Amino acid sequence: MLAAALGAAFASPATAFAQTPTKLIADVGLNDTFTITLTTESGSRVSDVSAGTYVIEVRDHSDMHNFHLTGPGVEESTSVAFVGTTTWTVTFQDKQTYRYVCDPHSTSMRGSFTTGGGPSASPPPPPAPRTTTIYARVGPAATISLRTRSGRRITQLRRGRYRIVVRDRSSMHNFHLSGPRVNKRTTVGFKGTATWTLTLRTGRYRYVCDPHAARMRGSFRVT
């Protein structure tokens, strides 16, 4: 009887051992950057995979972004406010195209892949005008600033398109940016993160906390 059981197991290894689904790594918003990727565990970018069942480990690093995966038979997403790691088990159908985006920034944070040598992913759109990201911060103390990604205080910029990530940390303050053709602000009661995409033209720009403009203010020049 023992010999018969062993023979049956070796004759049908699929029934003897359950196959573990392949793991993929979804990653979005590390250090609040505008990056989104889907890779293998070894770090290779996913462009085409075999149809079948996969485990996707989603690493969502930022409360400004999310990871949203769609395609035939698949509709999974983290919320924008979520920060942490979660796991999805999904089944990809053969010869299909699947897409992933950050919903609040879907024009710049997106990607796609095919299954089973399926149809090629849609061609990328024409490159958008280059957009530089800078960071505004106000509160929680009586402080206000505008800095580069590396933390340098901004006193001068070149004219062009900018993505301004505004981190308003106090319901007593706000961030108000004004200058040539720009007049953007958070409300005093708002506390959280907002993102503005603006074209800055030649001239002088000022930023203040409206309720405390006498001491919470700054400026920079665009050339």
Side-chain angles (χ1 to χ4, degrees):
M1 291 177 63
L2 177 60
L6 289 171
F10 283 109
S12 181
T15 60
F17 301 100
Q19 190 171 18
T20 302
T22 299
K23 179 186 282 190
L24 304 177
I25 307 298
D27 198 277
V28 62
L30 182 62
N31 296 324
D32 286 343
T33 56
F34 286 71
T35 56
I36 188 168
T37 59
L38 183 67
T39 63
T40 64
E41 286 192 280
S42 64
S44 300
R45 177 179 171 271
V46 171
S47 58
D48 187 85
V49 296
S50 301
T53 300
Y54 290 78
V55 169
I56 301 181
E57 182 178 300
V58 185
R59 302 169 182 173
D60 188 332
H61 303 279
S62 172
D63 61 4
M64 298 191 302
H65 305 306
N66 76 328
F67 195 98
H68 187 181
L69 175 64
T70 58
V74 174
E75 177 75 34
E76 298 281 0
S77 66
T78 60
S79 68
V80 176
F82 172 78
V83 176
T85 301
T86 189
T87 301
W88 303 329
T89 300
V90 300
T91 300
F92 297 137
Q93 299 178 18
D94 196 23
K95 297 191 181 301
Q96 300 292 340
T97 298
Y98 291 83
R99 294 177 171 82
Y100 52 93
V101 300
C102 165
D103 290 317
H105 311 101
S106 58
T107 58
S108 58
M109 296 175 67
R110 60 182 175 180
S112 63
F113 61 95
T114 56
T115 55
S120 299
S122 301
R130 183 183 174 194
T131 302
T132 301
T133 301
I134 56 180
Y135 298 87
R137 185 182 182 106
V138 61
T143 57
I144 190 167
S145 63
L146 186 66
R147 299 181 183 275
T148 64
R149 189 187 302 272
S150 65
R152 178 181 60 83
R153 180 173 170 269
I154 290 172
T155 58
Q156 184 169 307
L157 293 172
R158 292 184 180 274
R159 63 184 180 180
R161 283 181 66 80
Y162 287 83
R163 182 182 295 110
I164 304 177
V165 179
V166 184
R167 294 166 177 162
D168 188 332
R169 296 299 186 243
S170 173
S171 59
M172 298 190 302
H173 305 308
N174 77 328
F175 191 93
H176 183 182
L177 175 66
S178 61
R181 300 192 192 180
V182 169
N183 189 17
K184 294 283 289 184
R185 74 184 78 194
T186 60
T187 62
V188 175
F190 172 77
K191 184 179 178 182
T193 301
T195 302
W196 305 331
T197 300
L198 304 173
T199 298
L200 301 184
R201 296 169 173 82
T202 301
R204 191 164 191 82
Y205 288 79
R206 294 174 174 82
Y207 53 92
V208 300
C209 166
D210 290 320
H212 310 100
R215 57 196 177 99
M216 294 176 65
R217 60 184 176 178
S219 65
F220 61 95
R221 182 170 295 280
V222 176
T223 59

